[in-house]
């Protein structure tokens, strides 16, 4: 910015394993959302490389990036990002429209996804007719409908009360485990972080420490 050089991420090096749950944990401005955006191909790094299954994401053009996101990625956002004019079922089918899945198949799949997130009775409701927790369930169904290999959850419970927060985290982690998907959660909340197998602490654009939670599961279940 002008003369000032801002380093959002500095010397980050990490390998994500298939089927594991990771949390990028840090305060606002730490660089965690920037890191998520880079891995998801939404932003390009000025240096370094991001490799997914042997392919260099940082070298992809816009069409290749769109194909990468469409084929491999699902998103759950803090603000749900639902289209207000569409019903729950229509919102959920959107990723399949881009994949050119026939309408009958799209609707069948969306119905089964809404059932999986406990919203079978709400498929014709628009976002304004749903609670925050229900809107997030619709957003989760949309993220999972195209069976992505990686699910990104950016502050997925930031707008929810405590009870709904834990319901949503149980739902997201259960679905990724069942489907052997990689889940990358971005949060500043340590309670959310403990849903991950690995917590990556990010501070001032660097990895401060990496912590495995796999031995802690029994403690957390009490």
């Amino acid at each position: 910015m002008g003369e000032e050089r801002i380093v959002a991420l500095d010397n980050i090096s990490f390998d994500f394993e298939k089927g594991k749950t990771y949390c990028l944990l840090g305060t606002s401005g730490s660089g965690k959302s920037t890191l998520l955006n880079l891995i998801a191909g939404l932003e390009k790094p000025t240096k370094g490389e991001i490799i997914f299954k042997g392919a260099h994401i940082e070298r992809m053009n816009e069409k290749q990036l769109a194909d990468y996101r469409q084929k491999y990625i699902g998103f759950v956002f803090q603000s749900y990002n639902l289209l207000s004019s569409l019903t729950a079922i229509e919102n959920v089918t959107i990723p399949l429209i881009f994949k050119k899945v026939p309408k009958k198949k799209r609707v069948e799949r969306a119905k089964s996804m809404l059932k999986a997130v406990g919203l079978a009775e709400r498929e014709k409701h628009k976002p304004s007719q749903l609670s925050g927790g229900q809107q997030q369930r619709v957003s989760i169904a949309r993220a999972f409908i195209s069976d992505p290999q990686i699910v990104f959850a950016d502050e997925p419970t930031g707008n929810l009360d405590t009870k709904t927060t834990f319901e949503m985290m149980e739902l997201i982690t259960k679905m990724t485990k069942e489907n052997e998907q990689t889940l990358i959660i971005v949060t500043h909340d340590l309670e959310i972080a403990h849903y991950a197998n690995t917590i990556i602490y990010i501070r001032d654009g660097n990895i401060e420490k990496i912590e495995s939670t796999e031995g802690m599961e029994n403690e957390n279940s009490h």
Side-chain angles (χ1 to χ4, degrees):
M1 294 173 70
E3 295 295 301
E4 193 184 359
R5 186 165 177 266
I6 295 167
V7 180
L9 295 169
D10 189 21
N11 196 26
I12 296 254
S13 183
F14 191 80
D15 289 328
F16 294 94
E17 283 180 53
K18 183 184 185 320
K20 297 271 188 183
T21 298
Y22 297 89
C23 175
L24 307 177
L25 181 74
T27 55
S28 179
S30 60
K32 59 190 189 300
S33 289
T34 303
L35 181 54
L36 180 142
N37 288 344
L38 288 169
I39 303 166
L42 296 168
E43 290 181 40
K44 281 196 186 261
T46 45
K47 277 187 185 167
E49 51 188 21
I50 304 155
I51 301 166
F52 173 74
K53 297 174 79 162
H56 280 261
I57 293 168
E58 83 283 358
R59 294 179 194 163
M60 292 179 180
N61 61 33
E62 283 309 314
K63 186 187 181 308
Q64 290 168 323
L65 286 168
D67 288 345
Y68 159 68
R69 289 193 293 269
Q70 188 179 308
K71 196 170 176 187
Y72 297 111
I73 288 173
F75 282 101
V76 180
F77 300 97
Q78 176 177 346
S79 55
Y80 324 134
N81 284 18
L82 302 176
L83 296 176
S84 58
S85 59
L86 300 184
T87 62
I89 198 161
E90 288 167 340
N91 266 291
V92 174
T93 60
I94 288 170
L96 299 186
I97 293 171
F98 290 111
K99 282 190 152 183
K100 299 187 169 56
V101 174
K103 187 173 181 186
K104 188 167 180 255
K105 256 200 169 144
R106 289 200 305 262
V107 172
E108 276 171 18
R109 181 109 176 94
K111 277 178 185 282
S112 81
M113 286 308 307
L114 284 170
K115 189 177 176 189
V117 299
L119 282 184
E121 309 298 312
R122 294 274 193 277
E123 61 177 55
K124 297 280 196 291
H125 288 59
K126 290 188 175 173
S128 60
Q129 299 166 307
L130 299 169
S131 69
Q134 288 170 334
Q135 288 185 63
Q136 193 57 300
R137 284 173 187 270
V138 174
S139 140
I140 291 166
R142 180 187 58 194
F144 281 88
I145 194 164
S146 51
D147 198 21
Q149 291 190 17
I150 309 173
V151 176
F152 291 107
D154 193 358
E155 298 282 7
T157 59
N159 290 340
L160 304 172
D161 61 58
T162 308
K163 179 176 176 286
T164 313
T165 287
F166 294 131
E167 283 174 8
M168 291 307 109
M169 289 311 302
E170 293 288 345
L171 183 59
I172 295 170
T173 49
K174 176 174 170 276
M175 289 174 80
T176 49
K177 275 192 190 112
E178 282 173 1
N179 300 314
E180 290 180 30
Q181 290 155 313
T182 306
L183 173 62
I184 301 175
I185 306 160
V186 166
T187 188
H188 60 271
D189 184 339
L190 198 54
E191 284 194 307
I192 299 298
H194 280 104
Y195 280 90
N197 305 114
T198 302
I199 304 173
I200 305 158
Y201 291 80
I202 306 216
R203 187 187 181 105
D204 299 331
N206 289 281
I207 292 178
E208 189 177 33
K209 65 172 176 169
I210 296 168
E211 179 180 289
S212 171
T213 64
E214 295 191 312
M216 303 179 192
E217 279 180 16
N218 293 334
E219 294 169 41
N220 289 339
S221 62
H222 293 301

